[in-house]
Amino acid sequence: MKSLLFKTASDYLLPLLLLFSVFMLLRGHYEPGGGFVGGLMAAIAFLIHSFAHGLKETRNIIRINPGMLMPIGLLLTLLAGIAPWLIGQPFLTGLWFEEPFRFVGVVGTALLFDIGVYLVVIGATLTIMFSITETV
Amino acid sequence: MILAVLSGFIFAALVPFFSKFFKRTIPFVLCALPILLFIYFISFLNQIELGSYLMFSYSWVPSLGIDLDFRLDGLSILFALMITGIGSLVFLYTANYLKGHQYLDRFYGYLSMFMASMLGVVLSDNLMTMFVFWELTSISSFFLIGFNNEDAASRKSALTALGITGLGGLVLLAGIVILASVGNSYSFTELLGSSDVIKSSSSYHWIIGLVFVGAFTKSAQFPFHFWLPGAMKAPTPVSTYLHSATMVKAGIYLLARFTPLLGDTYWWNGTLVTIGAITMIYAAIHSLFRVDLKSILAYSTISALGILVFLIGIGTEKALLGAAIFILAHALYKAALFLITGIIDHETGSRDASKLAGLQKVMMPVAIAGFIAALSSAGVPLLIGFISKEVMYEATLQLGQWAIILTILIVLTKIFLFVAGFWAGIKPFTGPLPKEFQKAHLPSALLWVPPLLLSVLSVVFGVFPGLLEKSLIQSVFSSISGSATIIDLKLWHGFNTALMLSILTLVVGFAIYWFLQPSEKNFQKTIRFERISPEALTRDFGNIFSWFAGFWTRFFQNGYLRNYVITILAFLTFLMAYRIFIGVKIHIDWDQISTVTPSEIIVVTLMIISIFIAIFSKSRTTSIVALGVVGFANCLFFLFYSAPDLAMTQFSIDTLTVLLFMLILFRLPKNKTYSSKTIRIRDGVLSLIFGTLVAILVLEVFEYPSSTDISKFYADNAYVLAKGRNVVNIILVDYRASDTIVETVVLVIAAIGVYSLMKLDLNPIKKN
């Protein structure tokens, strides 16, 4: 799409939407949001950018192959599950730091888990979308 | 303990990353693992006395009663020692056998994965955990059998093995679940206490039937035996490790393990004796008609497994003792024979028993190992095979009315196995050396030391049975039989019937060996019976099944998306219509339905208009955008009825869908042809009916009082247990986190699927 308006808008939309997606991810534990929705939004952000600037440009911005996000995400979710084993708790027990962190709030394995989901969703969505775009 | 069991998996996961840096040394680094584990298990030997055991518990899914509990008793330590001991030798052997192979690191990865799963099977106390490891052995053996993945026959054997053992695994799972529900626990140790309850319960026959199928498929019992000769396509170290010493004995392990729990009943003993007897005699006869050394060994292994099942089936103390010794004796000599066959194959390039001869002139140490292994297999005095054979004969002789027939069966089997063992271990080394093998020479010590070591052990244990008696066999015996009888292993049992039978076995066996040569002609004679063998029948069944599957798939999945949708809708409509037809009161409770607000009317109008636009528009883009509007309007409804999470997700999904459609449709040419009027009317009618039915369904939901317990529990405990206020998200990341993990995996699989469908180009014309 060769619309100048769309191109310019997408330049600003990408960081904004990405920021928003991280916000969604972080607030998920207390307010509506979460890793899944956050991941979808981040994917949409990149997708809009690729519409405006072409796929190559977007791939340059992401730098790594978005497919790689999937194993990383899966590993994080698994890590969140295995972590309790270290202190002798069953698989996937929620663990929490005592003190809340600034801006983020109380951090626990659930956050790690959600980040994993977030990455998998971005990776899977972008892989699907990009491979379709490239082939069609 | 948990580290000992899982270290193989950790190693397997690390190998691909490190193999690049230590290409040459990695086999030796990896060999350290089984050796260390072997020493680790040896150190427990003196702690396991008469019937006592050690427990190591780690919680895994305590809420379902599934934990990583490991039970170390005589039976499990015998297997653990065999797995790690023979494992060490096989690891060393492979370093030279597959030297310079492109995927050597991969092979070691699979091997250590297999070793870990096998350890898991024999050490797990929790039946569910054991089942998980059980399946892992099937999977890792699939990779090992199909290691030469460019060979079609190899791939086929791997699939057959996975198919048979996987199917058996599923059946076993059913057995375990029934067993656990009757005995009210997944823990073997706890179940042992309620043995009588289980034996007298009405599902007892189901339990043993299902467990039998699991054990028989794994241990290659008739009629499931045919995957094992096929699995010989694997590299020889695999055949040695999996298909003679360890994996195929997993079924035997299971039966031995369950003997004190389920055994000693009419059906248990009868079935095992029958199947064991058929297998041992059938496979022993088969082994005499083979020419390929590995085939001979494969059938003699099946026969030996049959003997074990037979002995466990007899179930007397003598028989169980015989099984305990024979497990070890067989592992020692059969692994040695397999390794020797590997060496012969490696050096001469031939495994043809009718041609090989005279190799002792060029590889003396291998020949010594072969001689001893063959003698042990034959049961010649001063070897451990002799002790096990004596005990077996004594066991069958004690049986009263059945003694004669069972003794004849076992003696016959032993005679045939004598010949098979001699063909594999002695024949290739004696006689004149043919010209074609003149160039063969003694391989590296890494290859011939392992079989020689195994053979020497056969002698050491044969001459000094006292070495094993108290330390190992006694505790193995007590954990299989559950009795506290003190056993006594002797070389000399005095002149008795068993000794006479032993001598008879040796004489007749040697006579057959002397007069019968392995030949291609004999092998051809068996071919004509091939049609009615279980293998052929299974293959026919498989062909019919795949033909039917192909027909079914072509009919329903013909590649037109619209047909898929129509099929699904028509089926659902039929189901719902049937349900409503057989009696649902259609009744609308106006009180429960909230008043309609103006904003809702606006949204609904919007939806209806966009639906009409979507249907009647001539441009694809317009239709897609209109559909998107329907979706977004739906989001508004979610918002009105306070489901912001749903609204957000639906919003993102709709955006993505519209974008995806645009991506593809943007590049398509303009619509030229439209579906005919009749088809459009048919589709419209079907959609209307479907919509109406769904509406009725939704209204019907109100009829049933909804249970608020669950949602109340989640809402109440979200903050207390999981420190969050967003219940939806808490369910996703905490309460039902394992579901989420599986869902993310599904998502990844879908992405990989789309990627490969899009990128894989099998069209050869296009490529050129």
PDB file of all heavy atoms in Angstrom, chain A residues 24 28-31 33 37 40 90-91 96 113-114 129 133-135, chain B residues 645 648-649 656 660 722-726 729-730 733 737 758-759:
ATOM      1  N   MET A  24      -0.563  -4.219  28.394  1.00  0.00           N
ATOM      2  CA  MET A  24      -1.616  -5.238  28.493  1.00  0.00           C
ATOM      3  C   MET A  24      -1.104  -6.486  29.213  1.00  0.00           C
ATOM      4  O   MET A  24      -1.766  -7.059  30.067  1.00  0.00           O
ATOM      5  CB  MET A  24      -2.053  -5.664  27.090  1.00  0.00           C
ATOM      6  CG  MET A  24      -3.145  -4.848  26.526  1.00  0.00           C
ATOM      7  SD  MET A  24      -4.579  -5.067  27.552  1.00  0.00           S
ATOM      8  CE  MET A  24      -5.646  -3.863  26.867  1.00  0.00           C
ATOM      9  N   GLY A  28      -2.270  -7.722  33.169  1.00  0.00           N
ATOM     10  CA  GLY A  28      -3.153  -8.874  33.042  1.00  0.00           C
ATOM     11  C   GLY A  28      -3.548  -9.518  34.355  1.00  0.00           C
ATOM     12  O   GLY A  28      -4.638 -10.036  34.495  1.00  0.00           O
ATOM     13  N   HIS A  29      -2.672  -9.456  35.351  1.00  0.00           N
ATOM     14  CA  HIS A  29      -2.966 -10.205  36.556  1.00  0.00           C
ATOM     15  C   HIS A  29      -4.062  -9.555  37.389  1.00  0.00           C
ATOM     16  O   HIS A  29      -4.741 -10.234  38.144  1.00  0.00           O
ATOM     17  CB  HIS A  29      -1.694 -10.355  37.376  1.00  0.00           C
ATOM     18  CG  HIS A  29      -1.602 -11.670  38.056  1.00  0.00           C
ATOM     19  ND1 HIS A  29      -1.635 -12.866  37.372  1.00  0.00           N
ATOM     20  CD2 HIS A  29      -1.515 -12.000  39.360  1.00  0.00           C
ATOM     21  CE1 HIS A  29      -1.564 -13.854  38.225  1.00  0.00           C
ATOM     22  NE2 HIS A  29      -1.486 -13.360  39.445  1.00  0.00           N
ATOM     23  N   TYR A  30      -4.210  -8.245  37.229  1.00  0.00           N
ATOM     24  CA  TYR A  30      -5.210  -7.562  38.066  1.00  0.00           C
ATOM     25  C   TYR A  30      -6.385  -7.037  37.272  1.00  0.00           C
ATOM     26  O   TYR A  30      -7.504  -7.009  37.746  1.00  0.00           O
ATOM     27  CB  TYR A  30      -4.552  -6.410  38.812  1.00  0.00           C
ATOM     28  CG  TYR A  30      -3.429  -6.883  39.695  1.00  0.00           C
ATOM     29  CD1 TYR A  30      -2.116  -6.714  39.324  1.00  0.00           C
ATOM     30  CD2 TYR A  30      -3.717  -7.550  40.881  1.00  0.00           C
ATOM     31  CE1 TYR A  30      -1.099  -7.176  40.125  1.00  0.00           C
ATOM     32  CE2 TYR A  30      -2.696  -8.019  41.677  1.00  0.00           C
ATOM     33  CZ  TYR A  30      -1.391  -7.833  41.297  1.00  0.00           C
ATOM     34  OH  TYR A  30      -0.384  -8.313  42.085  1.00  0.00           O
ATOM     35  N   GLU A  31      -6.124  -6.573  36.052  1.00  0.00           N
ATOM     36  CA  GLU A  31      -7.169  -5.965  35.237  1.00  0.00           C
ATOM     37  C   GLU A  31      -7.257  -6.761  33.940  1.00  0.00           C
ATOM     38  O   GLU A  31      -6.380  -7.552  33.636  1.00  0.00           O
ATOM     39  CB  GLU A  31      -6.791  -4.514  34.912  1.00  0.00           C
ATOM     40  CG  GLU A  31      -6.261  -3.725  36.080  1.00  0.00           C
ATOM     41  CD  GLU A  31      -7.375  -3.162  36.922  1.00  0.00           C
ATOM     42  OE1 GLU A  31      -8.474  -2.983  36.359  1.00  0.00           O
ATOM     43  OE2 GLU A  31      -7.160  -2.926  38.115  1.00  0.00           O
ATOM     44  N   GLY A  33      -6.684  -8.113  30.476  1.00  0.00           N
ATOM     45  CA  GLY A  33      -5.451  -8.085  29.690  1.00  0.00           C
ATOM     46  C   GLY A  33      -4.801  -9.440  29.788  1.00  0.00           C
ATOM     47  O   GLY A  33      -5.475 -10.415  30.079  1.00  0.00           O
ATOM     48  N   VAL A  37      -3.716 -11.613  24.777  1.00  0.00           N
ATOM     49  CA  VAL A  37      -4.164 -10.390  24.111  1.00  0.00           C
ATOM     50  C   VAL A  37      -2.962  -9.515  23.793  1.00  0.00           C
ATOM     51  O   VAL A  37      -2.849  -8.953  22.689  1.00  0.00           O
ATOM     52  CB  VAL A  37      -5.152  -9.627  25.016  1.00  0.00           C
ATOM     53  CG1 VAL A  37      -5.649  -8.401  24.316  1.00  0.00           C
ATOM     54  CG2 VAL A  37      -6.280 -10.518  25.404  1.00  0.00           C
ATOM     55  N   LEU A  40      -1.222 -10.791  20.764  1.00  0.00           N
ATOM     56  CA  LEU A  40      -1.971 -10.497  19.540  1.00  0.00           C
ATOM     57  C   LEU A  40      -1.754  -9.048  19.121  1.00  0.00           C
ATOM     58  O   LEU A  40      -1.543  -8.741  17.951  1.00  0.00           O
ATOM     59  CB  LEU A  40      -3.461 -10.764  19.766  1.00  0.00           C
ATOM     60  CG  LEU A  40      -3.900 -12.224  19.753  1.00  0.00           C
ATOM     61  CD1 LEU A  40      -5.385 -12.329  19.995  1.00  0.00           C
ATOM     62  CD2 LEU A  40      -3.565 -12.858  18.420  1.00  0.00           C
ATOM     63  N   PRO A  90       5.510 -28.862  43.837  1.00  0.00           N
ATOM     64  CA  PRO A  90       5.092 -29.512  42.590  1.00  0.00           C
ATOM     65  C   PRO A  90       5.148 -28.580  41.384  1.00  0.00           C
ATOM     66  O   PRO A  90       5.187 -27.351  41.530  1.00  0.00           O
ATOM     67  CB  PRO A  90       3.671 -29.966  42.877  1.00  0.00           C
ATOM     68  CG  PRO A  90       3.275 -29.360  44.140  1.00  0.00           C
ATOM     69  CD  PRO A  90       4.476 -28.902  44.857  1.00  0.00           C
ATOM     70  N   PHE A  91       5.158 -29.200  40.217  1.00  0.00           N
ATOM     71  CA  PHE A  91       5.179 -28.516  38.928  1.00  0.00           C
ATOM     72  C   PHE A  91       4.122 -27.417  38.871  1.00  0.00           C
ATOM     73  O   PHE A  91       2.988 -27.620  39.276  1.00  0.00           O
ATOM     74  CB  PHE A  91       4.896 -29.569  37.854  1.00  0.00           C
ATOM     75  CG  PHE A  91       5.076 -29.117  36.442  1.00  0.00           C
ATOM     76  CD1 PHE A  91       6.314 -28.706  35.996  1.00  0.00           C
ATOM     77  CD2 PHE A  91       4.010 -29.105  35.569  1.00  0.00           C
ATOM     78  CE1 PHE A  91       6.492 -28.308  34.680  1.00  0.00           C
ATOM     79  CE2 PHE A  91       4.176 -28.711  34.263  1.00  0.00           C
ATOM     80  CZ  PHE A  91       5.418 -28.305  33.818  1.00  0.00           C
ATOM     81  N   TRP A  96       6.212 -16.383  44.353  1.00  0.00           N
ATOM     82  CA  TRP A  96       6.158 -14.918  44.309  1.00  0.00           C
ATOM     83  C   TRP A  96       7.301 -14.313  45.101  1.00  0.00           C
ATOM     84  O   TRP A  96       7.697 -14.835  46.127  1.00  0.00           O
ATOM     85  CB  TRP A  96       4.831 -14.419  44.884  1.00  0.00           C
ATOM     86  CG  TRP A  96       3.682 -14.925  44.102  1.00  0.00           C
ATOM     87  CD1 TRP A  96       3.018 -16.092  44.278  1.00  0.00           C
ATOM     88  CD2 TRP A  96       3.095 -14.282  42.975  1.00  0.00           C
ATOM     89  NE1 TRP A  96       2.050 -16.231  43.337  1.00  0.00           N
ATOM     90  CE2 TRP A  96       2.070 -15.129  42.523  1.00  0.00           C
ATOM     91  CE3 TRP A  96       3.330 -13.083  42.299  1.00  0.00           C
ATOM     92  CZ2 TRP A  96       1.287 -14.801  41.422  1.00  0.00           C
ATOM     93  CZ3 TRP A  96       2.540 -12.759  41.221  1.00  0.00           C
ATOM     94  CH2 TRP A  96       1.529 -13.622  40.783  1.00  0.00           C
ATOM     95  N   PHE A 113       5.420 -16.936  33.119  1.00  0.00           N
ATOM     96  CA  PHE A 113       4.544 -17.784  32.325  1.00  0.00           C
ATOM     97  C   PHE A 113       3.841 -16.954  31.258  1.00  0.00           C
ATOM     98  O   PHE A 113       3.791 -17.298  30.090  1.00  0.00           O
ATOM     99  CB  PHE A 113       3.536 -18.427  33.268  1.00  0.00           C
ATOM    100  CG  PHE A 113       2.700 -19.496  32.642  1.00  0.00           C
ATOM    101  CD1 PHE A 113       3.149 -20.801  32.620  1.00  0.00           C
ATOM    102  CD2 PHE A 113       1.482 -19.197  32.088  1.00  0.00           C
ATOM    103  CE1 PHE A 113       2.386 -21.789  32.048  1.00  0.00           C
ATOM    104  CE2 PHE A 113       0.718 -20.183  31.512  1.00  0.00           C
ATOM    105  CZ  PHE A 113       1.171 -21.478  31.491  1.00  0.00           C
ATOM    106  N   ASP A 114       3.313 -15.804  31.693  1.00  0.00           N
ATOM    107  CA  ASP A 114       2.557 -14.953  30.780  1.00  0.00           C
ATOM    108  C   ASP A 114       3.465 -14.379  29.699  1.00  0.00           C
ATOM    109  O   ASP A 114       3.052 -14.245  28.549  1.00  0.00           O
ATOM    110  CB  ASP A 114       1.882 -13.829  31.576  1.00  0.00           C
ATOM    111  CG  ASP A 114       0.401 -13.777  31.267  1.00  0.00           C
ATOM    112  OD1 ASP A 114      -0.073 -14.666  30.542  1.00  0.00           O
ATOM    113  OD2 ASP A 114      -0.278 -12.866  31.749  1.00  0.00           O
ATOM    114  N   MET A 129       1.438 -15.256   9.449  1.00  0.00           N
ATOM    115  CA  MET A 129       1.151 -14.120   8.574  1.00  0.00           C
ATOM    116  C   MET A 129       2.274 -13.891   7.566  1.00  0.00           C
ATOM    117  O   MET A 129       2.038 -13.686   6.382  1.00  0.00           O
ATOM    118  CB  MET A 129       0.981 -12.858   9.420  1.00  0.00           C
ATOM    119  CG  MET A 129      -0.256 -12.895  10.279  1.00  0.00           C
ATOM    120  SD  MET A 129      -1.726 -12.897   9.252  1.00  0.00           S
ATOM    121  CE  MET A 129      -2.988 -12.814  10.476  1.00  0.00           C
ATOM    122  N   THR A 133       2.162 -14.068   3.550  1.00  0.00           N
ATOM    123  CA  THR A 133       2.471 -12.888   2.735  1.00  0.00           C
ATOM    124  C   THR A 133       3.560 -13.186   1.716  1.00  0.00           C
ATOM    125  O   THR A 133       3.482 -12.779   0.561  1.00  0.00           O
ATOM    126  CB  THR A 133       2.981 -11.747   3.627  1.00  0.00           C
ATOM    127  OG1 THR A 133       2.246 -11.762   4.823  1.00  0.00           O
ATOM    128  CG2 THR A 133       2.836 -10.412   2.943  1.00  0.00           C
ATOM    129  N   GLU A 134       4.556 -13.912   2.159  1.00  0.00           N
ATOM    130  CA  GLU A 134       5.696 -14.139   1.272  1.00  0.00           C
ATOM    131  C   GLU A 134       5.358 -15.063   0.111  1.00  0.00           C
ATOM    132  O   GLU A 134       5.956 -14.976  -0.944  1.00  0.00           O
ATOM    133  CB  GLU A 134       6.849 -14.750   2.066  1.00  0.00           C
ATOM    134  CG  GLU A 134       7.708 -13.693   2.720  1.00  0.00           C
ATOM    135  CD  GLU A 134       8.635 -14.284   3.751  1.00  0.00           C
ATOM    136  OE1 GLU A 134       8.557 -15.497   4.004  1.00  0.00           O
ATOM    137  OE2 GLU A 134       9.426 -13.526   4.300  1.00  0.00           O
ATOM    138  N   THR A 135       4.410 -15.967   0.355  1.00  0.00           N
ATOM    139  CA  THR A 135       4.155 -16.967  -0.682  1.00  0.00           C
ATOM    140  C   THR A 135       3.070 -16.522  -1.644  1.00  0.00           C
ATOM    141  O   THR A 135       3.153 -16.806  -2.831  1.00  0.00           O
ATOM    142  CB  THR A 135       3.738 -18.304  -0.048  1.00  0.00           C
ATOM    143  OG1 THR A 135       4.117 -18.285   1.304  1.00  0.00           O
ATOM    144  CG2 THR A 135       4.377 -19.447  -0.764  1.00  0.00           C
TER     145      THR A 135
ATOM    146  N   ASP B 645     -12.379  -8.908  28.858  1.00  0.00           N
ATOM    147  CA  ASP B 645     -11.331  -9.780  28.343  1.00  0.00           C
ATOM    148  C   ASP B 645     -11.711 -10.373  26.997  1.00  0.00           C
ATOM    149  O   ASP B 645     -10.947 -10.371  26.046  1.00  0.00           O
ATOM    150  CB  ASP B 645     -11.091 -10.934  29.318  1.00  0.00           C
ATOM    151  CG  ASP B 645     -10.241 -10.512  30.468  1.00  0.00           C
ATOM    152  OD1 ASP B 645      -9.029 -10.422  30.278  1.00  0.00           O
ATOM    153  OD2 ASP B 645     -10.813 -10.244  31.541  1.00  0.00           O
ATOM    154  N   MET B 648     -11.696  -7.797  24.255  1.00  0.00           N
ATOM    155  CA  MET B 648     -10.366  -7.456  23.764  1.00  0.00           C
ATOM    156  C   MET B 648      -9.829  -8.526  22.841  1.00  0.00           C
ATOM    157  O   MET B 648      -9.295  -8.248  21.771  1.00  0.00           O
ATOM    158  CB  MET B 648      -9.413  -7.291  24.947  1.00  0.00           C
ATOM    159  CG  MET B 648      -9.266  -5.869  25.354  1.00  0.00           C
ATOM    160  SD  MET B 648      -7.917  -5.669  26.468  1.00  0.00           S
ATOM    161  CE  MET B 648      -8.246  -6.825  27.710  1.00  0.00           C
ATOM    162  N   THR B 649      -9.989  -9.774  23.284  1.00  0.00           N
ATOM    163  CA  THR B 649      -9.464 -10.868  22.472  1.00  0.00           C
ATOM    164  C   THR B 649     -10.184 -10.931  21.136  1.00  0.00           C
ATOM    165  O   THR B 649      -9.563 -11.017  20.078  1.00  0.00           O
ATOM    166  CB  THR B 649      -9.628 -12.202  23.219  1.00  0.00           C
ATOM    167  OG1 THR B 649      -9.222 -11.997  24.556  1.00  0.00           O
ATOM    168  CG2 THR B 649      -8.806 -13.272  22.592  1.00  0.00           C
ATOM    169  N   LEU B 656      -6.970  -9.279  13.178  1.00  0.00           N
ATOM    170  CA  LEU B 656      -6.043 -10.176  12.483  1.00  0.00           C
ATOM    171  C   LEU B 656      -6.707 -10.871  11.311  1.00  0.00           C
ATOM    172  O   LEU B 656      -6.127 -10.994  10.235  1.00  0.00           O
ATOM    173  CB  LEU B 656      -5.518 -11.233  13.456  1.00  0.00           C
ATOM    174  CG  LEU B 656      -4.300 -10.826  14.254  1.00  0.00           C
ATOM    175  CD1 LEU B 656      -3.961 -11.889  15.261  1.00  0.00           C
ATOM    176  CD2 LEU B 656      -3.123 -10.620  13.308  1.00  0.00           C
ATOM    177  N   LEU B 660      -5.570 -10.711   7.552  1.00  0.00           N
ATOM    178  CA  LEU B 660      -5.171 -11.927   6.851  1.00  0.00           C
ATOM    179  C   LEU B 660      -5.920 -12.056   5.529  1.00  0.00           C
ATOM    180  O   LEU B 660      -5.333 -12.312   4.470  1.00  0.00           O
ATOM    181  CB  LEU B 660      -5.451 -13.127   7.742  1.00  0.00           C
ATOM    182  CG  LEU B 660      -5.020 -14.482   7.215  1.00  0.00           C
ATOM    183  CD1 LEU B 660      -3.524 -14.519   7.056  1.00  0.00           C
ATOM    184  CD2 LEU B 660      -5.465 -15.578   8.153  1.00  0.00           C
ATOM    185  N   ALA B 722      -3.604 -17.033  44.220  1.00  0.00           N
ATOM    186  CA  ALA B 722      -2.757 -16.725  43.075  1.00  0.00           C
ATOM    187  C   ALA B 722      -2.387 -15.250  43.010  1.00  0.00           C
ATOM    188  O   ALA B 722      -1.787 -14.807  42.038  1.00  0.00           O
ATOM    189  CB  ALA B 722      -3.455 -17.130  41.799  1.00  0.00           C
ATOM    190  N   LYS B 723      -2.754 -14.504  44.000  1.00  0.00           N
ATOM    191  CA  LYS B 723      -2.336 -13.107  44.107  1.00  0.00           C
ATOM    192  C   LYS B 723      -2.747 -12.275  42.909  1.00  0.00           C
ATOM    193  O   LYS B 723      -1.989 -11.432  42.428  1.00  0.00           O
ATOM    194  CB  LYS B 723      -0.817 -13.016  44.274  1.00  0.00           C
ATOM    195  CG  LYS B 723      -0.338 -13.767  45.477  1.00  0.00           C
ATOM    196  CD  LYS B 723       1.045 -13.359  45.855  1.00  0.00           C
ATOM    197  CE  LYS B 723       1.558 -14.249  46.939  1.00  0.00           C
ATOM    198  NZ  LYS B 723       2.034 -13.521  48.079  1.00  0.00           N
ATOM    199  N   GLY B 724      -3.902 -12.508  42.345  1.00  0.00           N
ATOM    200  CA  GLY B 724      -4.323 -11.688  41.225  1.00  0.00           C
ATOM    201  C   GLY B 724      -5.792 -11.374  41.339  1.00  0.00           C
ATOM    202  O   GLY B 724      -6.516 -12.051  42.077  1.00  0.00           O
ATOM    203  N   ARG B 725      -6.236 -10.358  40.622  1.00  0.00           N
ATOM    204  CA  ARG B 725      -7.652 -10.016  40.704  1.00  0.00           C
ATOM    205  C   ARG B 725      -8.393 -10.332  39.409  1.00  0.00           C
ATOM    206  O   ARG B 725      -9.608 -10.345  39.386  1.00  0.00           O
ATOM    207  CB  ARG B 725      -7.810  -8.536  41.064  1.00  0.00           C
ATOM    208  CG  ARG B 725      -7.474  -8.261  42.496  1.00  0.00           C
ATOM    209  CD  ARG B 725      -7.964  -6.906  42.935  1.00  0.00           C
ATOM    210  NE  ARG B 725      -7.142  -6.443  44.043  1.00  0.00           N
ATOM    211  CZ  ARG B 725      -5.989  -5.811  43.883  1.00  0.00           C
ATOM    212  NH1 ARG B 725      -5.551  -5.518  42.679  1.00  0.00           N
ATOM    213  NH2 ARG B 725      -5.284  -5.444  44.932  1.00  0.00           N
ATOM    214  N   ASN B 726      -7.657 -10.497  38.333  1.00  0.00           N
ATOM    215  CA  ASN B 726      -8.310 -10.797  37.069  1.00  0.00           C
ATOM    216  C   ASN B 726      -8.511 -12.306  36.969  1.00  0.00           C
ATOM    217  O   ASN B 726      -7.593 -13.058  36.661  1.00  0.00           O
ATOM    218  CB  ASN B 726      -7.432 -10.283  35.928  1.00  0.00           C
ATOM    219  CG  ASN B 726      -8.003 -10.651  34.571  1.00  0.00           C
ATOM    220  OD1 ASN B 726      -9.079 -11.239  34.487  1.00  0.00           O
ATOM    221  ND2 ASN B 726      -7.283 -10.309  33.534  1.00  0.00           N
ATOM    222  N   ASN B 729      -7.544 -14.270  33.788  1.00  0.00           N
ATOM    223  CA  ASN B 729      -6.113 -14.475  33.602  1.00  0.00           C
ATOM    224  C   ASN B 729      -5.543 -15.456  34.627  1.00  0.00           C
ATOM    225  O   ASN B 729      -4.662 -16.249  34.316  1.00  0.00           O
ATOM    226  CB  ASN B 729      -5.394 -13.140  33.704  1.00  0.00           C
ATOM    227  CG  ASN B 729      -4.082 -13.177  32.960  1.00  0.00           C
ATOM    228  OD1 ASN B 729      -4.059 -13.604  31.824  1.00  0.00           O
ATOM    229  ND2 ASN B 729      -3.015 -12.794  33.612  1.00  0.00           N
ATOM    230  N   ILE B 730      -6.079 -15.409  35.846  1.00  0.00           N
ATOM    231  CA  ILE B 730      -5.593 -16.326  36.870  1.00  0.00           C
ATOM    232  C   ILE B 730      -5.860 -17.767  36.440  1.00  0.00           C
ATOM    233  O   ILE B 730      -5.031 -18.645  36.614  1.00  0.00           O
ATOM    234  CB  ILE B 730      -6.308 -16.070  38.218  1.00  0.00           C
ATOM    235  CG1 ILE B 730      -6.078 -14.660  38.677  1.00  0.00           C
ATOM    236  CG2 ILE B 730      -5.839 -17.062  39.267  1.00  0.00           C
ATOM    237  CD1 ILE B 730      -4.657 -14.341  38.952  1.00  0.00           C
ATOM    238  N   VAL B 733      -3.151 -18.591  33.823  1.00  0.00           N
ATOM    239  CA  VAL B 733      -1.746 -18.745  34.196  1.00  0.00           C
ATOM    240  C   VAL B 733      -1.549 -19.535  35.478  1.00  0.00           C
ATOM    241  O   VAL B 733      -0.426 -19.881  35.809  1.00  0.00           O
ATOM    242  CB  VAL B 733      -1.021 -17.383  34.345  1.00  0.00           C
ATOM    243  CG1 VAL B 733      -1.086 -16.619  33.056  1.00  0.00           C
ATOM    244  CG2 VAL B 733      -1.572 -16.586  35.492  1.00  0.00           C
ATOM    245  N   ALA B 737      -2.890 -23.777  34.346  1.00  0.00           N
ATOM    246  CA  ALA B 737      -1.694 -23.410  33.598  1.00  0.00           C
ATOM    247  C   ALA B 737      -1.206 -24.541  32.701  1.00  0.00           C
ATOM    248  O   ALA B 737      -0.699 -24.290  31.617  1.00  0.00           O
ATOM    249  CB  ALA B 737      -0.589 -22.993  34.557  1.00  0.00           C
ATOM    250  N   MET B 758       3.115 -23.557   3.383  1.00  0.00           N
ATOM    251  CA  MET B 758       3.368 -22.435   2.486  1.00  0.00           C
ATOM    252  C   MET B 758       4.730 -22.555   1.817  1.00  0.00           C
ATOM    253  O   MET B 758       4.894 -22.235   0.660  1.00  0.00           O
ATOM    254  CB  MET B 758       3.322 -21.127   3.281  1.00  0.00           C
ATOM    255  CG  MET B 758       1.929 -20.719   3.653  1.00  0.00           C
ATOM    256  SD  MET B 758       1.076 -20.247   2.152  1.00  0.00           S
ATOM    257  CE  MET B 758      -0.591 -20.206   2.699  1.00  0.00           C
ATOM    258  N   LYS B 759       5.733 -22.994   2.586  1.00  0.00           N
ATOM    259  CA  LYS B 759       7.099 -22.945   2.065  1.00  0.00           C
ATOM    260  C   LYS B 759       7.520 -24.228   1.369  1.00  0.00           C
ATOM    261  O   LYS B 759       8.400 -24.197   0.528  1.00  0.00           O
ATOM    262  CB  LYS B 759       8.084 -22.679   3.210  1.00  0.00           C
ATOM    263  CG  LYS B 759       7.832 -21.384   3.916  1.00  0.00           C
ATOM    264  CD  LYS B 759       8.472 -20.254   3.159  1.00  0.00           C
ATOM    265  CE  LYS B 759       8.054 -18.945   3.778  1.00  0.00           C
ATOM    266  NZ  LYS B 759       8.918 -17.843   3.460  1.00  0.00           N
TER     267      LYS B 759
END
